[in-house]
Amino acid sequence: MNALRGQLELWRLHLAVIVLGAIAELIGIQKIPLGIGAILLLPLLYAFVMAALMNPNVMPKFGKFIRQKEVAAASPLIVIAIMPFIAKFGTTIGPAIETIIAAGPALLLQELGNLGTIVLAFPLAVWGLKMGREAIGATFSIAREPNLAIIADRYTLKSPEGTGVMGVYVIGTLFGTFIFAILASLFASADIFDPRALAMACGIGSGSMMAACTGALTEVIPSMKDEILALAGASNLLTYATGLYAGLFIALPIVEKLYNATAGKNDIATANKKEA
Amino acid sequence: MSENAIAMERTRPNIDLTDHAVTLVIVCLVGLVMNTVGPAIPLADGFVGMVVIYLITMVGLLLTRFAPFYLPSVAWISLVGILATLPWTPGSEWIVEQAKSVNFLALATPALAYAGFAIAKKEIEVAKHSGWKLALVACLVFLGTYAGSVLVAELILRLQGA
């Protein structure tokens, strides 16, 4: 059993995950009241922060117990650790299949709502912050792996567009769970939107973003827990199916055209000046 | 550190099933500890629930490996979870009941702990190098994507009057 031996050699990593995870679970969900609502802190957030603080790349001084060997091994383990979580979400969708079908049109079309990133982020990036072609990669999508693949394929990751998408990707990886926990807490406690709509929108990102988002939602609206999990899970599954194509055929062409029609003109003008 | 990394590969990845089967046992045991400590679900109930979740995951991985067409493993696992719990599936009530003894947030806690340990030097460098501008843009990307989805879903639900 080479696989077993390999994992047992990583006992430091698994032990640290158990200890930090248990501490995080014991702290439990905490509410921070704010004027308009409340922000929810979830055990998964504490677990991430505590683990990051023991990571030798983040805190070089503490890099005694967890070494580079464990860091390298941890990356593929995230993929495996998220699998039971996805399976659990699947088991919430089946019993709620009638709810899902009833919400079908909304579920399908809310995928188009992902284009909202262009509406909000593109103007800020191009006109507010005067970013160059980085803005294309940064604002066309939520920058998870399929979207990285699109930019890598079209521009390579070393291009300005690649820098943009990588920047948002890394920020999402480091802070995505926090941002989603906060977004969901605030939207839910504002009490304007249908909880089903909030739940569907939780499925737009990665598994851990969905965890943070639904965790916060179910805490604010516990009476709808089953429905929230089912709709978020269904939306997330749909994102796997449609995300790549929506990014490739809709979002990226729109952002490219917008950029070329606006900031891109200046780029050409500057380039011409330099030549002249 | 990429939980959707598998989805990125266009061609079918060669999943080592024994390796995954063993690693999943460890990951599920870690999850079981969280499930017992946090949500305080009795260990015996949580154990049976976790066995069910484990089996669903493994069937999903088998399909990823051997199905006639390729789907990312997370999609297969999700589909198996759905099919196993549909009201028309024989025995689904029992599966649903067992799966209820596993708390979804407790399963996410270890995944995020692994993610914290997986932060690479390069990621720290990218974050530092990108600076505050990209961080600000990223926040609006997340807000815009989430709010856009909420608004469209809300609109359709109201139009449906559902």
Side-chain angles (χ1 to χ4, degrees):
Chain A
M1 291 297 275
N2 283 334
L4 184 59
R5 197 179 308 139
Q7 288 306 320
L8 291 181
E9 275 172 14
L10 294 171
W11 65 270
R12 287 165 180 258
L13 179 62
H14 297 299
L15 179 69
V17 167
I18 292 175
V19 172
L20 296 188
I23 295 174
E25 288 290 339
L26 285 173
I27 300 172
I29 298 171
Q30 301 292 331
K31 244 182 205 171
I32 304 178
L34 284 180
I36 27 167
I39 290 180
L40 288 159
L41 299 178
L42 305 167
L44 58 100
L45 301 177
Y46 322 138
F48 180 74
V49 171
M50 288 190 285
L53 290 177
M54 277 181 78
N55 183 317
N57 295 323
V58 182
M59 291 279 159
K61 279 181 195 162
F62 297 149
K64 302 240 159 63
F65 188 71
I66 297 296
R67 305 156 298 180
Q68 290 301 338
K69 179 190 166 192
E70 278 82 19
V71 171
S75 211
L77 275 165
I78 311 167
V79 187
I80 312 251
I82 211 80
M83 287 175 180
F85 171 84
I86 296 288
K88 161 71 191 176
F89 257 87
T91 65
T92 67
I93 300 175
I97 194 70
E98 282 173 20
T99 312
I100 306 274
I101 292 171
L107 205 48
L108 280 172
L109 288 168
Q110 57 85 28
E111 292 283 319
L112 290 176
N114 294 358
L115 298 174
T117 168
I118 305 176
V119 180
L120 273 189
F122 184 83
L124 173 90
V126 171
W127 294 300
L129 301 171
K130 308 274 178 222
M131 279 168 70
R133 297 190 67 86
E134 288 83 1
I136 296 176
T139 65
F140 89 104
S141 76
I142 194 158
R144 295 333 291 161
E145 285 79 1
N147 308 308
L148 277 187
I150 292 173
I151 293 290
D153 201 46
R154 186 152 178 145
Y155 296 106
T156 78
L157 288 178
K158 286 185 177 154
S159 62
E161 292 85 352
T163 310
V165 76
M166 274 309 289
V168 178
Y169 172 75
V170 169
I171 302 226
T173 305
L174 296 179
F175 306 110
T177 42
F178 296 88
I179 299 172
F180 268 88
I182 293 171
L183 279 177
S185 311
L186 295 180
F187 271 76
S189 41
D191 206 18
I192 305 168
F193 299 103
D194 190 322
R196 289 174 299 166
L198 299 176
M200 288 179 214
C202 280
I204 55 180
S206 65
S208 47
M209 290 172 184
M210 175 169 71
C213 189
T214 47
L217 276 190
T218 52
E219 194 59 25
V220 181
I221 319 159
S223 59
M224 289 185 70
K225 186 178 174 190
D226 290 348
E227 241 178 321
I228 289 171
L229 293 191
L231 287 170
S235 158
N236 196 236
L237 182 60
L238 209 58
T239 303
Y240 287 121
T242 63
L244 183 71
Y245 303 102
L248 186 59
F249 295 118
I250 306 175
L252 189 57
I254 291 179
V255 173
E256 282 171 343
K257 288 218 168 69
L258 270 177
Y259 186 85
N260 290 335
T262 55
K265 280 184 181 163
N266 300 336
D267 286 0
I268 296 165
T270 336
N272 287 345
K273 252 187 223 162
K274 269 182 196 162
E275 274 172 33
Chain B
M1 43 182 307
S2 51
E3 60 219 41
N4 310 358
I6 294 170
M8 202 171 140
E9 294 176 44
R10 301 259 168 92
T11 49
R12 189 196 295 255
N14 220 344
I15 293 181
D16 184 337
L17 282 173
T18 0
D19 196 72
H20 274 66
V22 172
T23 314
L24 263 175
V25 170
I26 295 176
V27 165
C28 283
L29 287 175
V30 175
L32 187 58
V33 175
M34 303 307 141
N35 201 49
T36 318
V37 173
I41 294 164
L43 184 60
D45 297 351
F47 179 77
V48 180
M50 201 60 93
V51 170
V52 168
I53 294 290
Y54 178 84
L55 292 176
I56 291 173
T57 312
M58 279 312 294
V59 174
L61 286 175
L62 279 167
L63 285 167
T64 313
R65 182 83 171 78
F66 296 114
F69 55 94
Y70 173 70
L71 279 180
S73 57
V74 278
W76 275 122
I77 293 166
S78 191
L79 286 173
V80 173
I82 294 171
L83 286 177
T85 53
L86 282 175
W88 313 289
T89 307
S92 67
E93 271 173 38
W94 185 83
I95 298 179
V96 171
E97 215 40 57
Q98 305 315 314
K100 278 197 175 146
S101 306
V102 177
N103 181 285
F104 78 101
L105 273 180
L107 287 183
T109 303
L112 266 291
Y114 286 114
F117 286 126
I119 298 171
K121 267 202 189 87
K122 203 182 143 220
E123 281 166 322
I124 302 273
E125 276 161 24
V126 171
K128 277 185 185 160
H129 182 76
S130 306
W132 63 272
K133 280 188 181 180
L134 264 177
L136 198 59
V137 170
C139 287
L140 281 195
V141 167
F142 291 123
L143 174 63
T145 312
Y146 187 73
S149 285
V150 171
L151 289 177
V152 174
E154 179 80 25
L155 181 74
I156 308 288
L157 285 174
R158 286 199 186 174
L159 285 177
Q160 275 186 307

